[in-house]
Amino acid sequence: MRKCLLQWKFWLGCLTTILLLSANARAQFSLPKARFVASEAQQFGFDDYRISQWRDNYEVLTFNDSLKQPIPYKSMLRGSVDHVNLVLDKSIDTLSQLRFEIADTNVVLNFTRLSRDTLELELPATDSSYLLKVYYKGELETALNVINFDELTYKVKVIPLSGKFENDSLSHYLNSVYAQAGISLDVSFEKRYKLNSEIDSIFTNPSVNHDQYTEQMIEVRDDYFDQFGKDKGTYYMFIVADFVSPEFEGYMVRNKGVGFVKRTAKDLYYEIAHQFGYGIGQFNDLWKEDGPSKGATQNLMDLQGTHLTYAQWIMIRTNGEMVSFYDDFEDVRANNGIIAYYLWEENKDGTIKVKGDNLLGAVSRPFKRNTYSLYLDIDNFLFYQLFNIGPYSICLLHILSFLVMAISSVWIRRRVVRRVGFIKKRRIFRFITRLTSFGAHAALFWLLFLAVNQGYYMFEVHNGKIDSLEGESLFRTNRELFKNQNLRRQAEDKIGSEVLIKKSNGEWFLEKRKPVLYFTVHEKNGKRTLRFQEDSETLYLPTLNYRRTVQTHYFVYRYYDEKNKLIEERVFNHLGNNISDKLELDDPAERIVLFVNGYRPTSLGGSFEDNFHDLREKGLEFRNSSNVIHSDDRYEYWRPYREIDLKFSKRLNATASYYADGHHSVTTSNHETLIDFTEHSLKYPKRCRNKNRHVCKHQKKGWKWLGLERKVPTYETQPLEPNKKGFIERRDNGKIAGRNLLQLLNEIPSKSDNDTLFIVAHSMGYAYALGIIEEMRGNINFGGFYIIAAENAETGKVREDEWKEIWQFGSDFEAHKKSAPCLLDGIAPQTKAAGLSPRNRIYIPEEYYNRMGFFDSHFVGHYTWIFDIPKDAPGYIEQR
């Protein structure tokens, strides 16, 4: 009886719990007397609450009886009208009692009654967004957030690589999808692009993370751009034959401008729209990041459907205007680098092959780098490559070394056992002997392995024939050259040129040349021939009476008439721009702003914390900076975050802006390892909810299971020991970037002397910027230096007196370390830059409490408050 009573109580308790949960669910998800739904006549978008994971994206309407209803969103264009349906409860029969309200004002809306319970409302044309409320008999029934957008237009080019392509209705389809976000796609259809015969038409499988192009995709993109150029701000979609794996129907790297869709996709138009979701919108697969299960929605980023949410509307409008064609893993051609590369093909008589009359195109100029490439001409059988293990080439000498080490290990261990009697008697001693012998010989073999690898470089080709390239085409050699990076050196000591020449018999020859190359153009019987003449360290133009020592690379065409008389000279920079007319122009004073970014996480998250969350999940870092300067925000470090770079450029009245990449591994920071950083970021307390009552002042540290756990002040868990070696590594690499910046600013020799340089450095970029400054000192005037959330600032030293203006912005470590450590910058604990006066340090204002914390105090997008500092106050950046 007692057992039955207990069971009855148990089931009664379960029933009660279910009823309570049901009541709670009813409080959260009510079915009111009215609700808005999408109209079939709508032109733009409608987004209502459908998936539990998206609950926080919606405002909530609370009724008098405590019932709650998520408020849906309706998108429109400013000045346009659109339609939405209002579904009524059947008990609402008297429509005269129905009232609409916008901004606390009654409005009259045109409507059509579609059925007894559904009205189609015509939303009025307005310039601003508004909340539309619906009342019945004075009681609030439902509401709608109407979002009015300015129309944005993005250009799209569709290029078929395979087969015929029906394009009549694609434009209409794409615009019907992206109109939800107030976006118009200007779609143009290019003629079929004939794929280079050396590129496979079947595409290899790309990364499922949509973060990196395959080599094949890069080849197609670059070959197309080389032939037809690229239009700034335009998205490109290539229609391809197929992918190796049937699971891929298309591919586009997130937030990048080039995509690939196979012609035989199940729904071609949908697949193109879907891939543009990755590229234009920076969207991810919907089921990732704790989203709904795969295939559960009709969203564009699921397996089917074209619906876009309100959050996606905002995201695509924010991200779509910046178009980048290169993923974050690849090197991008920049007009700077210590070594300039040239390739051409020669005829039997030594003249350069020219297609048509394109003299400029006959000399290929793929890129610049900071080092020469690396070619080996191995003629010793011990170093012949047998196979590869990862990035390492294994030769016979490696194998012989391993055998010698293995045999010696066994022999030495046995000798030791025989001589030391007690080792033979005890099994544990024999085990320790084996383990010690194995470890010692493994370490010795690794050292010998590295020594053998160094032996390869005895066979490096500095000038001469390259056997590995024999018979290769110019296109394929260009691609091989791109992959051939010399990782032994960070940079060469002197600027120079590397020339690869294909002879008429198919052999390739390497020549290391000086920075200025001279070519002759002879005209005879109406035909022009091109020939390499000489190289030099000076730019000498007798026709212009001009001679200068150079700081960058040039090539010069000297034109001769039929009488072999020099009649004209044209000077080109490495990009192929004719700068002859600029050489004698007056030199106006320029205002140069250089942005130096810090660490770049492997993520496209919307905030610094999102970025590092992805980093922890992927456990991956980008390789260190390539130490070149870009003329745009190559890695989208500044622009997406409230356009902080544009704010600086406007305030400083910049005539030119450049971007340096100060990214280096976490190992160069005070955290020293990615594991330590990850552990620290997970354990460090979040920002306290109550700013007047901090519960973050202490943490437990140590090993609880060993009884060694203790309570310590939270700030002491931060990485406070400066990593001087890592700082110096970043500063030294910054010197290479400084040499490259000098090249850019001195394309016309010695033209930077009267210019003024302003530097904005964030995080790791501070150390890097100091290296750039060392190279620029004496070659340019220093204007302003703006240091934001510097990493390990105390290790670097500034010369305050050489700058007209210098400020360091960041969190206030001393003020908050004991009272509110949750507000401190955990990415880079803030210290004063050596040599800087304390009065030049500016701290995050207290009113920006919600922008402080482990990640937030470091996030560059949160430093727009700098531009709100009043004039004459410390930290004010002077309007130039």
Side-chain angles (χ1 to χ4, degrees):
M1 181 69 181
R2 186 165 178 265
K3 184 177 180 181
C4 290
L5 183 62
L6 289 172
Q7 288 181 341
W8 180 81
K9 286 183 176 179
F10 170 76
W11 288 111
L12 180 61
C14 290
L15 179 61
T16 303
T17 302
I18 292 171
L19 290 174
L20 287 172
L21 290 174
S22 177
N24 183 62
R26 185 170 179 269
Q28 295 297 323
F29 309 103
S30 65
L31 291 175
K33 295 178 182 179
R35 68 184 188 277
F36 284 102
V37 298
S39 166
E40 292 184 359
Q42 75 175 13
Q43 302 178 64
F44 305 106
F46 180 85
D47 178 37
D48 54 356
Y49 175 77
R50 304 180 186 185
I51 303 297
S52 60
Q53 288 89 342
W54 301 340
R55 173 187 299 181
D56 294 340
N57 292 343
Y58 302 87
E59 297 179 30
V60 175
L61 193 65
T62 303
F63 300 97
N64 293 335
D65 54 4
S66 297
L67 294 178
K68 296 182 179 181
Q69 179 193 24
I71 303 175
Y73 290 94
K74 178 76 186 79
S75 65
M76 297 173 60
L77 290 185
R78 300 190 197 281
S80 67
V81 298
D82 205 4
H83 298 84
V84 67
N85 288 354
L86 176 64
V87 179
L88 309 169
D89 188 277
K90 292 184 179 179
S91 63
I92 299 180
D93 292 320
T94 309
L95 295 184
S96 61
Q97 301 269 349
L98 204 61
R99 181 168 60 86
F100 303 101
E101 183 183 280
I102 297 176
D104 299 324
T105 303
N106 291 338
V107 294
V108 177
L109 299 183
N110 296 326
F111 65 85
T112 302
R113 189 156 193 168
L114 301 180
S115 65
R116 183 182 177 189
D117 65 346
T118 303
L119 303 180
E120 184 180 78
L121 305 181
E122 181 179 280
L123 299 174
T126 62
D127 288 333
S128 59
S129 301
Y130 58 86
L131 179 67
L132 172 64
K133 295 181 179 179
V134 180
Y135 293 85
Y136 182 68
K137 294 183 178 180
E139 294 286 334
L140 181 63
E141 297 293 333
T142 191
L144 176 69
N145 261 318
V146 179
I147 310 298
N148 272 292
F149 291 127
D150 289 319
E151 185 175 32
L152 296 178
T153 300
Y154 301 152
K155 292 184 178 181
V156 169
K157 284 190 176 184
V158 180
I159 305 108
L161 305 185
S162 171
K164 295 182 179 179
F165 184 64
E166 299 296 330
N167 55 41
D168 294 341
S169 55
L170 174 60
S171 179
H172 175 76
Y173 181 91
L174 292 176
N175 277 288
S176 68
V177 173
Y178 287 97
Q180 296 176 76
I183 289 170
S184 170
L185 297 184
D186 180 6
V187 185
S188 62
F189 303 93
E190 304 301 302
K191 294 180 180 179
R192 179 178 174 183
Y193 159 57
K194 188 176 180 182
L195 196 65
N196 190 302
S197 60
E198 297 184 68
I199 304 176
D200 193 352
S201 61
I202 306 300
F203 280 68
T204 55
N205 299 333
S207 163
V208 295
N209 293 321
H210 287 267
D211 58 357
Q212 190 170 4
Y213 290 114
T214 66
E215 181 181 334
Q216 191 176 7
M217 291 174 178
I218 292 172
E219 288 179 345
V220 170
R221 178 200 66 197
D222 291 352
D223 189 55
Y224 182 84
F225 286 165
D226 285 345
Q227 290 189 48
F228 304 101
K230 57 178 179 285
D231 295 338
K232 187 176 181 180
T234 299
Y235 291 88
Y236 290 80
M237 184 63 72
F238 292 96
I239 309 301
V240 305
D242 206 350
F243 287 90
V244 171
S245 173
E247 71 173 294
F248 286 99
E249 296 211 315
Y251 187 78
M252 199 164 186
V253 173
R254 292 177 66 201
N255 207 34
K256 303 302 174 186
V258 179
F260 302 83
V261 170
K262 72 177 183 181
R263 179 173 51 85
T264 56
K266 288 182 292 186
D267 187 336
L268 181 60
Y269 289 1
Y270 163 76
E271 191 59 37
I272 292 174
H274 178 72
Q275 294 305 324
F276 276 137
Y278 296 108
I280 301 178
Q282 193 181 311
F283 302 150
N284 207 344
D285 296 315
L286 210 64
W287 53 88
K288 294 182 179 179
E289 301 171 356
D290 301 321
S293 58
K294 187 184 294 188
T297 76
Q298 290 295 314
N299 193 272
L300 178 67
M301 302 314 294
D302 206 337
L303 299 181
Q304 55 189 352
T306 58
H307 177 254
L308 293 174
T309 67
Y310 166 72
Q312 289 173 320
W313 301 344
I314 303 303
M315 195 170 179
I316 198 169
R317 291 179 66 85
T318 302
N319 299 315
E321 290 188 282
M322 290 184 62
V323 185
S324 172
F325 304 112
Y326 309 97
D327 69 51
D328 293 338
F329 295 86
E330 59 180 301
D331 285 330
V332 175
R333 178 179 179 180
N335 193 30
N336 58 97
I338 295 169
I339 305 301
Y341 285 75
Y342 299 86
L343 298 88
W344 64 77
E345 297 182 73
E346 290 186 351
N347 300 307
K348 288 183 179 180
D349 61 358
T351 58
I352 298 173
K353 285 187 177 181
V354 179
K355 293 182 179 179
D357 199 34
N358 185 9
L359 294 173
L360 197 61
V363 179
S364 176
R365 307 167 307 279
F367 46 74
K368 291 184 183 182
R369 279 198 184 128
N370 293 318
T371 62
Y372 291 106
S373 55
L374 177 64
Y375 291 99
L376 303 176
D377 183 17
I378 298 174
D379 57 5
N380 188 312
F381 74 96
L382 290 175
F383 285 90
Y384 288 159
Q385 179 181 342
L386 301 178
F387 54 89
N388 287 334
I389 297 180
Y392 299 107
S393 297
I394 305 302
C395 64
L396 182 59
L397 193 55
H398 282 124
I399 295 174
L400 292 175
S401 301
F402 176 78
L403 291 175
V404 169
M405 283 292 178
I407 293 170
S408 66
S409 174
V410 175
W411 183 81
I412 291 173
R413 185 184 62 80
R414 287 180 177 177
R415 296 278 293 181
V416 171
V417 170
R418 287 174 186 170
R419 287 180 176 272
V420 184
F422 70 87
I423 294 179
K424 188 184 296 185
K425 296 177 182 179
R426 299 283 185 178
R427 182 176 296 177
I428 184 64
F429 293 141
R430 293 200 301 272
F431 173 76
I432 292 173
T433 304
R434 289 192 184 99
L435 189 63
T436 303
S437 177
F438 175 79
H441 281 83
L444 286 172
F445 174 70
W446 177 247
L447 293 175
L448 187 58
F449 179 84
L450 296 178
V452 172
N453 286 350
Q454 289 298 312
Y456 280 125
Y457 303 115
M458 297 187 300
F459 306 98
E460 182 175 353
V461 178
H462 296 281
N463 287 280
K465 182 182 174 184
I466 307 298
D467 291 327
S468 60
L469 296 178
E470 186 169 353
E472 294 284 5
S473 67
L474 186 66
F475 174 82
R476 185 53 56 192
T477 300
N478 206 325
R479 300 312 303 175
E480 290 298 319
L481 186 63
F482 185 80
K483 293 185 288 184
N484 186 348
Q485 299 192 41
N486 189 344
L487 302 179
R488 293 187 69 209
R489 295 187 289 272
Q490 286 288 326
E492 305 296 340
D493 295 329
K494 294 178 60 177
I495 62 171
S497 303
E498 178 168 314
V499 178
L500 281 168
I501 304 171
K502 184 179 182 181
K503 301 295 185 179
S504 58
N505 60 0
E507 295 177 344
W508 283 93
F509 284 81
L510 170 69
E511 296 180 1
K512 293 182 178 179
R513 295 285 185 172
K514 294 172 183 176
V516 186
L517 304 184
Y518 293 90
F519 298 84
T520 61
V521 180
H522 283 87
E523 185 168 346
K524 189 174 184 180
N525 299 325
K527 184 180 179 181
R528 298 195 296 181
T529 58
L530 179 67
R531 186 186 296 270
F532 174 67
Q533 184 183 32
E534 61 180 333
D535 60 333
S536 176
E537 292 180 341
T538 61
L539 184 59
Y540 173 54
L541 307 169
T543 59
L544 299 177
N545 193 26
Y546 185 95
R547 185 190 292 270
R548 295 285 191 282
T549 300
V550 301
Q551 292 176 290
T552 187
H553 305 86
Y554 307 90
F555 64 103
V556 179
Y557 279 11
R558 291 172 168 166
Y559 291 82
Y560 292 83
D561 61 16
E562 295 192 2
K563 296 181 180 179
N564 203 32
K565 179 182 178 182
L566 178 61
I567 57 174
E568 183 184 5
E569 291 174 294
R570 296 179 188 174
V571 183
F572 301 90
N573 64 16
H574 188 257
L575 286 174
N577 299 320
N578 189 340
I579 62 170
S580 307
D581 295 337
K582 298 180 181 179
L583 296 176
E584 298 296 340
L585 292 178
D586 292 335
D587 180 24
E590 300 277 354
R591 308 177 64 80
I592 311 296
V593 180
L594 177 69
F595 296 93
V596 190
N597 63 254
Y599 187 86
R600 293 184 285 105
T602 53
S603 165
L604 288 171
S607 71
F608 216 80
E609 187 165 7
D610 292 339
N611 286 335
F612 274 98
H613 173 269
D614 288 353
L615 183 149
R616 292 194 298 264
E617 291 295 315
K618 297 178 182 179
L620 178 67
E621 292 184 291
F622 292 122
R623 64 187 176 187
N624 289 352
S625 172
S626 58
N627 304 321
V628 297
I629 305 294
H630 293 280
S631 58
D632 60 357
D633 188 10
R634 160 71 180 93
Y635 296 105
E636 297 170 13
Y637 188 96
W638 307 87
R639 187 69 51 82
Y641 303 122
R642 302 184 177 96
E643 298 183 332
I644 192 168
D645 59 331
L646 297 182
K647 288 179 170 62
F648 270 105
S649 295
K650 183 178 180 180
R651 177 67 65 88
L652 298 172
N653 193 23
T655 56
S657 298
Y658 294 97
Y659 298 80
D661 178 26
H663 167 83
H664 282 70
S665 170
V666 168
T667 59
T668 67
S669 73
N670 286 0
H671 291 280
E672 292 192 338
T673 72
L674 193 57
I675 294 174
D676 286 345
F677 167 77
T678 302
E679 183 180 5
H680 183 52
S681 64
L682 291 173
K683 290 182 178 180
Y684 202 81
K686 302 291 185 182
R687 183 177 57 243
C688 293
R689 293 184 178 181
N690 186 346
K691 64 181 179 180
N692 297 316
R693 184 175 178 272
H694 282 274
V695 294
C696 59
K697 298 177 183 178
H698 293 89
Q699 273 191 293
K700 292 181 179 180
K701 188 175 181 181
W703 296 281
K704 183 177 181 180
W705 57 281
L706 287 177
L708 299 177
E709 189 177 55
R710 69 188 192 279
K711 191 176 182 180
V712 298
T714 296
Y715 78 90
E716 290 184 3
T717 66
Q718 292 211 351
L720 303 178
E721 185 68 27
N723 182 351
K724 295 182 179 180
K725 181 179 178 182
F727 189 96
I728 292 171
E729 178 183 341
R730 284 183 269 132
R731 186 188 62 197
D732 288 346
N733 285 338
K735 293 178 183 178
I736 301 172
R739 294 171 64 186
N740 287 325
L741 180 61
L742 270 176
Q743 284 190 39
L744 283 174
L745 301 183
N746 290 280
E747 182 180 80
I748 310 302
S750 302
K751 290 292 185 178
S752 70
D753 292 348
N754 63 342
D755 295 338
T756 303
L757 179 65
F758 300 81
I759 297 180
V760 183
H762 178 245
S763 187
M764 283 187 176
Y766 169 63
Y768 200 78
L770 292 183
I772 293 174
I773 290 168
E774 284 192 36
E775 293 295 322
M776 298 300 297
R777 188 173 284 120
N779 294 291
I780 200 168
N781 302 306
F782 288 150
F785 190 14
Y786 311 104
I787 308 161
I788 302 175
E791 200 280 332
N792 192 5
E794 63 187 300
T795 299
K797 187 173 183 179
V798 299
R799 297 185 189 177
E800 191 175 318
D801 60 348
E802 70 182 353
W803 296 93
K804 295 179 181 177
E805 183 174 74
I806 181 169
W807 302 108
Q808 181 183 350
F809 304 95
S811 65
D812 193 340
F813 184 86
E814 292 301 323
H816 292 141
K817 68 179 182 179
K818 293 182 178 180
S819 60
C822 68
L823 303 183
L824 298 177
D825 183 339
I827 304 294
Q830 293 298 287
T831 56
K832 184 179 71 70
L836 187 69
S837 170
R839 66 176 177 271
N840 289 73
R841 291 193 70 186
I842 310 300
Y843 304 109
I844 304 171
E846 294 296 329
E847 60 263 33
Y848 293 103
Y849 184 83
N850 291 332
R851 296 187 188 180
M852 297 189 202
F854 187 98
F855 292 99
D856 290 330
S857 291
H858 194 77
F859 178 41
V860 70
H862 284 168
Y863 280 83
T864 51
W865 57 264
I866 291 172
F867 301 97
D868 298 328
I869 296 174
K871 190 174 183 179
D872 299 327
Y876 175 77
I877 298 175
E878 186 179 344
Q879 178 73 56
R880 306 291 171 171

